[in-house]
């Protein structure tokens, strides 16, 4: 148990569906992250939020839409995905802060997404 | 951007053996972490080690920032050590770059 939870753990969706992934952290952190892990590839950073403000968008297609309503919750809204978007989506959090301070990340268990 | 390379890509060990995993990075960093990803996909923090040496039980890590590499040592390996080991670096922003990982299999 890392203090970061993700739901659902598994998701199968069609290309025309709309779904959302949810991440919640119970660590009192201020920074939250979405990563994508495709088979046999390194983790790719998608988005970073620090104090609810988006600080990184790593050229992610607009069919992925993040939302951070507060420092404890992070969502990833999905619509009109492609089969190549099938992957493990991981959420992480860290202490965060101002001045670009970097610190230890804690990861959730991931959502394994399959797009048919 | 920073490039991160890990070696070896794959490693098979007999239980009880020792191993060294390496992480090379192409530019100065101010954060380096080692993670273990278990077979179910969960990433677990092992070390936050931008420089110096740390030990935690059978695991230890050393980062030589001036020479741009980090080493993870696993002693007396156990089957539960199996999985993928990643290093991740960043140079002052929140844009973490992960290496390609070392896939470890420990045989009983």
């Amino acid at each position: 148990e890392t203090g970061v939870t993700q739901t659902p753990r598994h998701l199968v969706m069609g290309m025309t569906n709309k779904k959302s992934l949810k991440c919640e952290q119970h660590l009192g952190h201020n920074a939250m992250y979405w990563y994508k892990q495709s088979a046999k590839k390194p983790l790719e950073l998608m988005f970073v939020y620090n104090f609810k403000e988006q600080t990184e968008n790593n050229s992610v297609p607009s069919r992925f839409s993040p939302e951070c309503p507060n420092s404890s919750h992070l969502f990833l809204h999905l619509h009109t995905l492609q089969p190549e978007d099938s992957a493990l989506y991981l959420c992480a959090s860290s202490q965060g802060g101002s001045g670009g301070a970097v610190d230890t990340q804690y990861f959730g268990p991931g959502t394994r997404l399959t797009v048919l | 951007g920073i490039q991160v390379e890990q070696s070896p890509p794959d490693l098979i060990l007999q239980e009880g053996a020792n191993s060294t995993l390496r992480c090379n990075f192409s530019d100065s960093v101010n954060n380096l972490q080692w993670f273990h990803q278990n077979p179910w996909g969960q990433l677990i923090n092992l070390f936050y080690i931008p420089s110096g040496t740390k030990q935690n039980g059978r695991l230890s890590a050393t980062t030589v920032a001036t020479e741009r590499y980090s080493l993870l040592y696993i002693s007396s390996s156990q089957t539960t050590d199996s999985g993928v080991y990643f290093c991740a670096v960043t140079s002052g922003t929140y844009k973490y770059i992960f290496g390609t990982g070392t896939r470890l299999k420990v045989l009983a």
Side-chain angles (χ1 to χ4, degrees):
Chain A
E1 177 59 53
T2 62
V4 182
T5 59
Q6 289 186 244
T7 55
R9 295 293 307 276
H10 299 270
L11 179 61
V12 179
M13 60 187 287
M15 290 190 286
T16 58
N17 291 159
K18 289 185 181 182
K19 297 286 184 185
S20 296
L21 309 185
K22 179 183 175 182
C23 175
E24 184 173 0
Q25 58 94 2
H26 310 275
L27 301 169
H29 288 165
N30 300 301
M32 297 187 76
Y33 311 75
W34 280 118
Y35 286 88
K36 175 184 178 183
Q37 186 177 27
S38 303
K40 306 215 185 254
K41 286 189 176 180
L43 275 75
E44 301 171 62
L45 181 65
M46 300 175 72
F47 302 102
V48 182
Y49 280 81
N50 190 26
F51 288 98
K52 300 190 297 179
E53 298 296 320
Q54 188 179 112
T55 55
E56 290 285 345
N57 177 340
N58 203 17
S59 303
V60 181
S62 60
R63 58 186 183 270
F64 295 91
S65 174
E67 179 190 1
C68 188
N70 55 60
S71 292
S72 299
H73 293 88
L74 184 65
F75 295 89
L76 188 63
H77 303 300
L78 316 171
H79 63 98
T80 60
L81 293 191
Q82 305 298 311
E84 59 264 29
D85 296 322
S86 298
L88 181 67
Y89 288 84
L90 291 157
C91 173
S93 71
S94 70
Q95 187 59 47
S98 59
V102 289
D103 47 21
T104 306
Q105 292 181 93
Y106 295 86
F107 280 81
T111 294
R112 194 163 295 279
L113 174 66
T114 303
V115 181
L116 302 176
Chain B
I2 299 174
Q3 306 295 314
V4 183
E5 293 184 359
Q6 292 186 241
S7 61
D10 297 280
L11 186 58
I12 299 176
L13 298 175
Q14 205 64 42
E15 201 169 26
N18 303 328
S19 61
T20 301
L21 282 57
R22 188 177 179 104
C23 172
N24 291 333
F25 41 95
S26 62
D27 206 342
S28 300
V29 300
N30 62 1
N31 184 7
L32 187 147
Q33 288 186 253
W34 282 98
F35 295 92
H36 174 222
Q37 187 171 37
N38 67 23
W40 298 271
Q42 176 72 63
L43 275 145
I44 301 295
N45 272 304
L46 298 177
F47 294 101
Y48 167 76
I49 185 165
S51 64
T53 297
K54 290 186 177 180
Q55 178 151 11
N56 185 2
R58 297 181 296 104
L59 303 182
S60 63
T62 295
T63 297
V64 183
T66 54
E67 296 187 22
R68 300 183 184 167
Y69 72 89
S70 183
L71 302 174
L72 178 69
Y73 306 95
I74 305 174
S75 64
S76 305
S77 57
Q78 301 175 356
T79 55
T80 51
D81 295 331
S82 297
V84 185
Y85 289 81
F86 291 101
C87 69
V89 304
T90 187
S91 60
T93 70
Y94 291 97
K95 193 166 184 175
Y96 288 83
I97 307 297
F98 275 72
T100 49
T102 292
R103 189 172 300 272
L104 173 65
K105 188 174 178 69
V106 180
L107 304 175

